[in-house]
C-alpha cells in the first residue's frame, strides 16, 4: 500500500504488475512497457498529467479516481488500456494516439462529471471509446468515439468523406453515361462491383452483421448512405459490447484488438470508396 506525496512514480519493464488500492497525492504515475493491473487507485491534485502510459503494454484502471489534474491520462503508441472510474476537476481527461494507429483506450462506463458525457477534443481525444458514459449513477449512450488529438480525420469521418466523393463521382458518371453511352455506363457497374467486393471483405472482419448495399448496383438508394449506416453500426457495437466491470487484465488485450480491428476495417472501407470510384 502506498501513499506517496509530491513527485512522480515511474515503473518500467514489467509483465504482470499489480499496483492497486493506493492514494497518489500530488504524485503522477508513469508506466513504460509495463503491463499491469492498476485498479482502485486515486489521484488527487496532480500538478500535470496524472497517468502516462508508453511502450508496448496493456493496463487495467478499474475503480480509478482522478480529482484535480491538467491531464488525466496520456496514452502513447502500442498501449491497450481500459479505464473505469471518475474524473473531476481536470482540464483534459484522456489523450491517446490517433484512431487507426497502434493504441486503444476503452473508457466506457466512466463518470466524466459531465451530464452530456465527454466532449471531444475538449475533454477526450484520440482512439478512445467512451460510450456508454455514466452520470449520476446512470449509463447513457454517447455516440461514436472521440476526435483525433491532431484534428486529422477519424475512421468515421474518413468513411463519410469517401461516401461523399463516391456519390459525386457516380452522379457525374451517370450524367456522362446518358450523354456518351455504354462505355461510361460500364464504368459505373465496375465501380459498384469493386466496392461490393471490398464491402464484403471488410464486413466479414467485423463482429456484427451488415447487409451489402452495393451488391445491387446503382439501383436503389441504400448505397448512398452506406457510410453513415456502417459508422453508426460500429459505434453502437462498441457501446453495446463494453463491459461495465472488466473481468481482469486478460480482457484488456482482447478489447484492444476489437477496437483496433474496427478502426482498421473502417479505414480500409474508406480507402475502397476512393479506389473503386469511376
Amino acid at each position: 500500500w502506498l501513499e506517496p506525496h509530491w513527485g512522480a512514480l515511474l515503473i518500467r519493464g514489467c509483465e504482470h504488475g499489480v499496483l492497486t488500492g493506493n492514494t497518489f497525492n500530488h504524485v503522477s504515475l508513469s508506466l513504460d512497457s509495463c503491463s499491469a493491473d492498476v485498479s482502485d487507485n486515486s489521484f488527487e491534485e496532480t500538478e500535470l498529467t496524472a497517468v502516462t502510459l508508453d511502450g508496448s503494454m496493456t493496463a487495467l484502471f478499474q475503480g480509478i479516481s482522478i480529482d484535480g489534474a491538467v491531464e488525466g491520462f496520456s496514452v502513447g503508441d502500442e498501449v491497450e488500456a481500459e479505464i473505469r472510474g471518475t474524473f473531476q476537476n481536470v482540464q483534459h481527461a484522456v489523450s491517446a494516439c490517433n484512431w487507426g494507429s497502434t493504441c486503444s483506450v476503452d473508457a466506457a462506463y466512466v463518470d466524466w462529471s459531465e451530464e452530456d458525457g465527454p466532449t471531444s477534443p475538449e475533454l477526450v481525444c484520440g482512439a478512445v471509446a467512451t460510450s456508454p458514459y455514466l452520470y449520476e449513477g446512470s449509463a447513457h449512450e454517447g455516440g461514436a468515439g472521440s476526435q483525433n488529438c491532431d484534428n486529422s480525420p477519424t475512421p468515421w469521418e474518413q468513411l463519410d468523406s469517401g461516401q461523399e466523393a463516391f456519390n459525386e463521382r457516380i452522379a457525374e458518371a451517370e450524367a456522362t453515361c446518358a450523354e456518351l453511352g455504354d462505355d461510361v455506363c460500364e464504368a459505373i457497374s465496375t465501380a459498384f462491383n469493386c466496392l461490393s467486393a471490398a464491402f464484403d471483405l471488410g464486413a466479414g472482419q467485423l463482429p456484427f452483421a451488415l447487409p451489402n448495399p452495393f451488391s445491387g448496383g446503382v439501383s436503389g438508394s441504400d448505397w448512398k448512405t452506406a457510410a453513415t449506416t456502417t459508422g453508426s453500426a460500429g459505434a453502437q457495437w462498441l457501446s453495446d459490447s463494453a463491459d461495465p466491470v472488466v473481468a481482469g487484465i486478460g480482457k484488456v488485450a482482447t478489447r484492444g484488438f476489437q477496437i483496433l480491428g474496427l478502426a482498421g476495417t473502417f479505414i480500409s472501407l474508406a480507402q475502397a470508396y476512393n479506389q473503386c470510384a469511376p
Side-chain angles (χ1 to χ4, degrees), residues 37-43 51 59-67 72-73 81-90 93-94 105-114 117-118 123-124 128-140 242-246:
D37 183 348
V38 197
S39 298
D40 299 318
N41 291 298
S42 62
F43 295 81
V51 180
L60 173 60
F61 291 84
Q62 193 154 241
I64 200 80
S65 171
I66 296 181
D67 186 354
F73 279 79
E82 292 209 48
I83 302 170
R84 300 290 186 269
T86 62
F87 291 82
Q88 55 186 333
N89 302 315
V90 297
V94 183
V105 180
D106 177 353
Y109 294 100
V110 168
D111 188 332
W112 309 93
S113 300
E114 297 286 343
L123 194 61
V124 175
V128 186
T130 60
S131 181
Y133 67 90
L134 299 179
Y135 184 72
E136 294 185 344
S138 297
H140 305 270
D243 293 322
V245 178
V246 183

Side-chain angles (χ1 to χ4, degrees), residues 40-64:
D40 299 318
N41 291 298
S42 62
F43 295 81
E44 302 171 358
E45 302 302 327
T46 305
E47 296 300 310
L48 295 174
T49 301
V51 180
T52 301
L53 306 176
D54 280 310
S56 179
M57 58 177 288
T58 59
L60 173 60
F61 291 84
Q62 193 154 241
I64 200 80

Side-chain angles (χ1 to χ4, degrees), residues 143-176:
S146 60
Q147 297 179 28
N148 283 328
C149 299
D150 62 2
N151 293 318
S152 61
T154 68
W156 284 265
E157 292 167 338
Q158 292 181 51
L159 268 178
D160 288 338
S161 296
Q163 178 80 69
E164 182 178 354
F166 183 81
N167 290 1
E168 291 176 356
R169 295 281 294 275
I170 291 296
E172 292 169 359
E174 285 184 309
T176 308

Side-chain angles (χ1 to χ4, degrees), residues 10-32:
L10 169 63
I11 303 176
R12 179 180 289 124
C14 59
E15 293 185 3
H16 305 288
V18 178
L19 181 65
T20 60
N22 305 295
T23 299
F24 293 79
N25 193 306
H26 291 90
V27 174
S28 62
L29 172 66
S30 294
L31 299 180
D32 186 349

